[in-house]
Every structure is written in structure tokens, then in C-alpha cells.
Amino acid sequence: MFDIEEELKKLPAKPGVYLMHDEKDAIIYVGKAISLKNRVRQYFQSSRNKGVKIEQMVTHIARFEYIITDSELEALVLECNLIKEHRPKYNTMLMDDKTYPYIKVTVNEEYPRVLITRQLKKDKGKYYGPFTSAGAVKDTTDLIHKLYQIRTCSRNLPRDVGKDRPCLNYHIKQCAAPCQGYISKEEYGKNVGKALDFLNGNYGPLLKELEEKMKAASDAMEFEKAIEYRELLNSVRKVAQKQKITHSDMEDKDIIALASDGEDAVVQVFFVRDGRLIGRDHFYLRISEGEQTGEILNSFLKQFYAGTPYIPRELMIEEEVEDRELIEQWLTARKGHRVYLRVPKIGTKEKLVELAKKNAALVLSQDREKIKREEGRTIGAMKEIAGLLGLSGISRVEAFDISNTNGFESVGSMVVYEKGKPKRSDYRKFRIRWVKGPDDYASMYEVLTRRFLHGLEEGKELKEKQLSGELGSFTKFPDLLMMDGGQGQVNIALKVLEELGLSIPVCGMVKDDNHRTRGLYFNNEELPIDRNSEGFRLITRIQDEAHRFAIEYHRSLRSKEQVHSVLDDIEGIGPSRRKALMKRFQSLDAIREADVETLAAVPSMNRGAAEKVYAFFH
């Protein structure tokens, strides 16, 4: 039994991170402290004015744990990682997890390329961005390839010059084919230089050049060429118009401001690079009643810049934040150069922050109804399902399905929905190993057993993995299991859970004669559901997604080459042994049924390899 009063006495006066757990052992809050002893005690002191959110959170704390660090900076980094991993209920949460495209010029190569990437690496390449529109980035790179004929291939040049034929890009005049030696290194370098000028916003010389070529082609009555130059000219003007000068200092900065209404908050970010506004984006945050602008900004800065690969020199914010110096120190360490958080009071910068704030307020007012509709489709629908089943606190749902063609390569799928939305990073595929032939019940028994056994094994090392910030993908168990079937599938799931000593509610999605969901099977009873409700629509989406994911995986295994790849999973079975086994047995089922002696008699096999094959299937 966890005694809070006793555990408070044991807290060390050291920096670190603390994690609050509720009665279900879910992490509901993560915080950092320069002194764990002083900070954690404050939550349980009745005399302190803690605010509505903290007052409510404290009533749900069943236990807490902590991780000590060497410094407050280390605690901040760990806090960011744990919040992102666990998404605790009472932390101010950044709802979007976006990545942005960049344009990369591989200037470190002898024949540089112009590419689109979503990762910044310390590889001496030159990066432009981030951009908020992937379409605009593609248009820009396509234009660069048309104008300057820069390669996109990954050939090692000049080593591979002349080894292969030129690709399609050469034939459609979007590459000068340096791979064939059709352009000298010096001339190619000049084209790359022009592309860099273009990406730096120096459009004047290019516009003048294209206008002259268009006029010359028109005067020579080469109208097709003239039209081609005109289209290029219009494309360059379109790109140039998007690059608006925002400040004359030519610095990289992000302009950040927010708007909130007590329940929802929207943060607007303007991305300024080399003095140009290259894009903007907004982010929704889940906040609690009474949270102030500074608190919300403090949480946003830590969560957003923990995930974004590029950090500008300056962050312009509308109000001071509690951890300003610490965040500056952290971002400076990440960037490798000094980073400043500034609160501009006068001039152009202050007006830019004000403009960002107005845009955030506009998004909040326009999207409020959209947000509520989306909540109805997701969180609201989940609440409907929980109400129908008489359950509470359902956040994570896992659904399973089996797919096979007459027992050939049976597979299982696991899809995960959290708060009514698919969490695709937690989807899992299972190749059926223990079951012969088309037996959906036995296959489902295998899939569920493997899923929860894996989770239990990962759970044994939870403490150790939590300290390193690496939690296993199966460790988090669902609040509800949804089976793609009625009583039979539900009973299989209940049998697995009972054998493993787990208590998780299980319901079945019951279908009518036309294979449409008509209700839920729960606690030996079929519960009808309103077909026009958001809950019903969510159940249908979950069922369709589980089915789609299983079918998709099954299709990927149907070809003979891919079926052979099952054997590649076995240690010691290379291409020659794989071919020998398939030639002798013709099918995986035949290999599965063979004993060790029969397997060892196959040419190129030995007893050790045969035992490994037998163990794999049994």
C-alpha cells in the first residue's frame, strides 16, 4: 500500500522529474523540479493556492514516483520526453504532432542534389525551411529541376559516371545527366549556384533572363519555346510572391502568440527565415480552467521545440514564461549556438507578435465548432460506447481481426484507437505460426496470447525502461478490447485474459446477415445501438480499420517470393537452404508438419539448422 505521507518524507532535495499516478496506475501528470522535496510536497499542502486544475488533479493521485537528475536542465529534457510518451491528462498538451518539409541541397557532394526532406542532419548539407505546405515545396523543387537541371538520383558521382543509361529526368529535360558526363563539373556547379541564389530569394536575374528568352523565342517564331519560357516565368513569379520580407535584419526567428477561451487554446507560429516569412502554422492545445498565457506558452515551447528539428536564433513570444532562462539554455545546447527568447515591447517585432495573436484568435473563433464536431466524432463517440457498456474512463481501445485464404498464410491485425482516433504507431501485425489451416478462433487465441504475453514481459522491465525513456510498444494495455465477431470471439479473448491473469472488458461487434454491425455483445448480452449515433459510426470505423489492416498485410504475403521470406526469419536459413526446403516440401504447411529428421535430410541442411526450423514453427 502506497502511503503518501511516508513517501513525502523520503523525497530528496535534488533536481528531477516526478510522475503522478491515479488509482488505475495511469500517469496523469509529469513535472520537473529543482528540488523534488519542496516541489512535490506543495501539491499536498492545503494552505497553498494551487488553482483549479491542480486541485482537481490532486484528488486523483494514488501514488507518485520520481527520477533524480544531475541538473534542472536534464530534468527539463526528461520531462519533455515523458510528457510526449505518456500524454498525461493534467499536463497542458500540444494536440498536433507535425513534421515539416525542408529543401536540402547536398553541397557536400561533388555533384549536389536538390531534395525534399523532413529531417535535419549534421551532414554539411544546406537546408531551407521549414515550410508549412508540402505542395509548395514540391512545386519549388520541380521548378528548380526544370530551370537548372539538377539531379535527384543517389548515384555516386563521379565514380559511377557512364555505368548506367540516363534516367527519365534527362529525357524530359529535368536533369543534365552528369552521370553520363554530358555536362562538365564546372558547368554543373554554376547551375547549382544559380539554384542556391533562387532558394535565397534572389529572383531578379532569373526573371530578367526568362523574359529575354521568351521574347527572343517569340521573335524567332518559336512559339512552343516561348510558351515554355512564359510558364517558367509565371512559376517563378508565383514562388517569389510567397516570399514576403518581414524584417530587414535577415535573421531566422519564430514569432509565437496564442489565443484561449478557458477551454481551448490555439498557438500561432510565423516561421521567418533570412528575413522572409516562409510559412505559418497553428497548433491546438488541451488546457485546463484557469491556466494563464505564460503557463500555456511555457508548456508549448518545451513540447514543440523538443520535437522540431530546426531551432531559429530567436523566439519572439508575447509574454514572459517561468522557465525562460532554462529553455534558452536547453535550446542553445540543442542548436549549438546561442538561442534567445524575447518579449518585444515596441516596433516591428511587437507588431508581428500582435499579428500572430490576431491570427490565433481568428483560428480559434472559426474552428471552435469544428473542434466540437471533431470531439463529438472521437471523444464523444467513445463516451457513448462506454455509456452503452456501463463502463467509465475508456481511452484506449484495441481491435483484432484475422485474414486468410483457405488457411494460406493466416495473419492477424491489431489496431489501436485512443480518444476516438487511430494511433497508427501502435498498430501491429501477426503472422500465424501455431495454427494449421483456416481456424479463426485458434488464430485469434494465438494473436491475443502473443500480444499480452509480450506486454507482460515488457512490463517486468518497466521501471528500468522508464528511466531510460524507452517504453515497450506492447506495455500499455487497452481499457477495452473490441472483437470483430460475436460471442465466439469474445469467449476466446476472455479465455486468454483469464489464463494470463488480466482483467480487461471485452465486447464483440455483432454483424447482421449483410455483414453490417448491428450491436455489441457484452457480458453475455447483445446490446442494440442507434445506427445514427456517433458511437455507432466509431464502432464501424474501428471494425473497418481492423479488417483493412489485416487484408492489407495478408495481400503483401501472397506472392511466392514473399511466402519464402517467412523462412528468412529463421536464424541460419539463407537463400540456398530456403530454396532447398521449398523445392522439397512445396509449401509452408508441409515444412511445419515435418519432423527434425526429415528436415535434416534435405540437401544443404544439417541437424542444427533442422532443429531451428522445427523450433520456429513449434
Side-chain angles (χ1 to χ4, degrees):
M1 186 69 180
F2 190 88
D3 188 327
I4 288 178
E5 289 299 325
E6 286 300 314
E7 295 300 323
L8 286 173
K9 296 175 185 177
K10 300 175 185 176
L11 285 164
K14 293 182 178 181
V17 172
Y18 53 92
L19 301 91
M20 304 299 193
H21 293 253
D22 65 10
E23 63 279 357
K24 292 183 178 179
D25 213 33
I27 296 171
I28 59 174
Y29 189 78
V30 174
K32 64 161 182 59
I34 194 165
S35 169
L36 288 165
K37 184 175 185 177
N38 296 338
R39 186 74 184 99
V40 177
R41 279 182 170 182
Q42 289 175 3
Y43 289 97
F44 303 96
Q45 293 173 358
S46 58
S47 59
R48 296 189 65 87
N49 181 18
K50 294 187 279 285
V52 177
K53 179 180 79 170
I54 300 302
E55 290 278 7
Q56 188 179 25
M57 184 264 289
V58 170
T59 63
H60 294 290
I61 297 174
R63 72 178 184 91
F64 61 81
E65 59 179 318
Y66 53 88
I67 303 166
I68 61 170
T69 59
D70 288 332
S71 67
E72 192 181 7
L73 180 59
E74 283 186 17
L76 181 137
V77 174
L78 182 56
E79 178 196 32
C80 290
N81 291 339
L82 291 174
I83 288 174
K84 190 172 182 180
E85 176 69 36
H86 297 289
R87 303 189 69 79
K89 180 178 179 179
Y90 289 99
N91 282 95
T92 299
M93 288 304 305
L94 177 62
M95 304 305 287
D96 308 278
D97 193 10
K98 303 176 183 177
T99 59
Y100 295 99
Y102 294 78
I103 295 175
K104 175 183 179 180
V105 184
T106 59
V107 293
N108 51 313
E109 297 177 337
E110 287 194 52
Y111 290 86
R113 297 169 289 157
V114 177
L115 309 168
I116 299 173
T117 182
R118 288 182 181 267
Q119 292 182 321
L120 268 74
K121 298 178 180 177
K122 294 181 179 179
D123 55 4
K124 297 182 181 179
K126 195 164 182 62
Y127 292 86
Y128 296 86
F131 299 95
T132 53
S133 169
V137 173
K138 187 177 186 306
D139 290 344
T140 302
T141 53
D142 286 348
L143 180 58
I144 287 170
H145 294 137
K146 286 178 185 176
L147 290 168
Y148 306 113
Q149 299 189 21
I150 308 295
R151 73 186 183 107
T152 59
C153 68
S154 58
R155 293 176 183 176
N156 188 332
L157 301 182
R159 188 193 70 187
D160 295 339
V161 170
K163 284 191 176 180
D164 292 300
R165 291 179 296 175
C167 67
L168 179 62
N169 283 349
Y170 167 72
H171 296 291
I172 62 175
K173 298 180 180 180
Q174 290 196 17
C175 178
C179 61
Q180 303 302 307
Y182 293 168
I183 183 172
S184 69
K185 183 179 177 182
E186 292 72 22
E187 195 63 29
Y188 187 86
K190 288 178 183 177
N191 287 351
V192 172
K194 289 178 182 178
L196 291 171
D197 281 345
F198 179 88
L199 288 168
N200 285 321
N202 187 10
Y203 307 114
L206 176 61
L207 289 169
K208 185 178 178 182
E209 181 186 342
L210 288 174
E211 282 177 350
E212 289 173 353
K213 286 183 176 180
M214 180 180 69
K215 190 174 184 301
S218 180
D219 291 344
M221 301 186 72
E222 295 176 339
F223 298 117
E224 286 187 8
K225 265 191 176 181
I227 289 171
E228 187 178 325
Y229 287 130
R230 185 190 67 190
E231 289 178 350
L232 286 173
L233 191 61
N234 289 335
S235 296
V236 174
R237 283 173 177 156
K238 185 180 176 183
V239 170
Q241 285 171 358
K242 291 180 179 179
Q243 303 290 326
K244 297 184 175 67
I245 296 291
T246 60
H247 204 262
S248 58
D249 62 10
M250 305 303 285
E251 286 283 359
D252 289 357
K253 58 174 68 71
D254 286 353
I255 315 294
I256 304 161
L258 72 86
S260 67
D261 62 2
E263 295 179 357
D264 303 303
V266 170
V267 173
Q268 183 85 198
V269 182
F270 289 167
F271 302 107
V272 179
R273 302 293 179 263
D274 292 326
R276 292 175 176 82
L277 175 63
I278 64 167
R280 63 174 187 170
D281 210 345
H282 59 266
F283 304 86
Y284 295 101
L285 289 98
R286 185 187 72 204
I287 65 172
S288 301
E289 186 181 344
E291 280 193 271
Q292 301 301 308
T293 298
E295 296 176 79
I296 300 169
L297 279 175
N298 200 58
S299 296
F300 173 79
L301 291 171
K302 289 187 282 187
Q303 291 180 56
F304 180 69
Y305 290 101
T308 188
Y310 180 77
I311 299 166
R313 179 180 170 81
E314 289 185 334
L315 307 181
M316 299 293 176
I317 55 178
E318 62 175 299
E319 192 174 298
E320 288 287 359
V321 296
E322 180 185 354
D323 294 322
R324 176 177 175 171
E325 291 183 8
L326 193 62
I327 292 172
E328 282 184 334
Q329 187 184 348
W330 167 53
L331 294 179
T332 296
R334 283 201 63 208
K335 184 177 176 64
H337 295 285
R338 188 77 169 88
V339 176
Y340 299 90
L341 262 68
R342 304 196 191 279
V343 184
K345 302 296 183 184
I346 56 172
T348 307
K349 293 177 180 177
E350 192 273 334
K351 288 178 182 176
L352 282 171
V353 172
E354 184 60 32
L355 183 62
K357 189 172 183 67
K358 286 179 181 177
N359 277 269
L362 183 65
V363 170
L364 184 63
S365 64
Q366 289 179 340
D367 287 4
R368 186 177 285 108
E369 289 305 315
K370 178 183 173 183
I371 293 168
K372 287 181 179 176
R373 284 197 302 272
E374 179 63 18
E375 281 190 353
R377 289 182 69 252
T378 56
I379 297 172
M382 198 68 87
K383 286 180 179 177
E384 274 187 35
I385 296 169
L388 180 69
L389 301 176
L391 302 171
S392 61
I394 292 179
S395 174
R396 181 184 174 98
V397 169
E398 292 181 6
F400 295 81
D401 194 17
I402 302 295
S403 177
N404 65 68
T405 303
N406 296 324
F408 173 79
E409 271 308 308
S410 291
V411 300
S413 69
M414 165 184 150
V415 300
V416 180
Y417 276 65
E418 284 194 354
K419 296 180 180 175
K421 294 182 181 179
K423 189 178 183 184
R424 292 184 174 84
S425 61
D426 282 10
Y427 284 17
R428 291 295 178 268
K429 304 168 184 175
F430 298 84
R431 186 178 288 159
I432 304 302
R433 294 178 179 174
W434 309 346
V435 181
K436 299 176 186 177
D439 188 336
D440 282 359
Y441 284 169
S443 296
M444 184 62 76
Y445 177 86
E446 176 185 335
V447 167
L448 291 172
T449 301
R450 285 165 56 188
R451 182 264 178 268
F452 288 110
L453 272 177
H454 196 160
L456 289 168
E457 287 167 5
E458 285 183 350
K460 290 177 183 177
E461 302 174 8
L462 182 59
K463 278 284 185 186
E464 181 183 336
K465 290 191 175 185
Q466 213 172 60
L467 285 171
S468 66
E470 298 174 0
L471 291 175
S473 58
F474 282 113
T475 307
K476 197 171 182 181
F477 284 175
D479 303 309
L480 176 67
L481 273 181
M482 299 190 83
M483 311 306 297
D484 185 37
Q487 184 176 0
Q489 293 279 25
V490 169
N491 287 340
I492 290 292
L494 291 171
K495 180 182 178 184
V496 171
L497 294 172
E498 184 181 3
E499 289 175 355
L500 298 177
L502 298 172
S503 178
I504 299 171
V506 183
C507 71
M509 296 176 276
V510 185
K511 293 180 280 288
D512 59 20
D513 295 338
N514 296 317
H515 208 72
R516 294 178 304 185
T517 302
R518 71 182 185 213
L520 295 177
Y521 182 83
F522 184 64
N523 285 346
N524 296 317
E525 183 182 356
E526 184 178 322
L527 306 171
I529 186 168
D530 180 3
R531 287 178 179 270
N532 296 314
S533 68
E534 290 293 352
F536 176 81
R537 294 188 183 101
L538 177 58
I539 290 168
T540 303
R541 289 198 297 273
I542 293 172
Q543 189 175 39
D544 291 346
E545 183 70 348
H547 191 58
R548 177 201 65 78
F549 195 52
I551 290 289
E552 186 180 88
Y553 181 41
H554 185 251
R555 282 176 182 157
S556 74
L557 297 176
R558 282 185 187 164
S559 75
K560 192 173 183 181
E561 288 181 3
Q562 287 170 315
V563 170
H564 286 191
S565 71
V566 175
L567 300 175
D568 292 335
D569 293 338
I570 307 173
E571 184 185 353
I573 302 301
S576 60
R577 283 176 173 168
R578 182 188 68 193
K579 288 176 184 176
L581 286 167
M582 291 305 296
K583 186 176 179 181
R584 165 68 176 80
F585 294 102
Q586 298 296 312
S587 73
L588 288 175
D589 279 344
I591 296 172
R592 184 187 285 114
E593 290 170 4
D595 57 26
V596 173
E597 286 70 24
T598 306
L599 291 167
V602 174
S604 80
M605 291 286 287
N606 56 37
R607 186 167 183 86
E611 287 174 349
K612 287 178 181 176
V613 173
Y614 185 84
F616 179 83
F617 286 107
H618 296 84

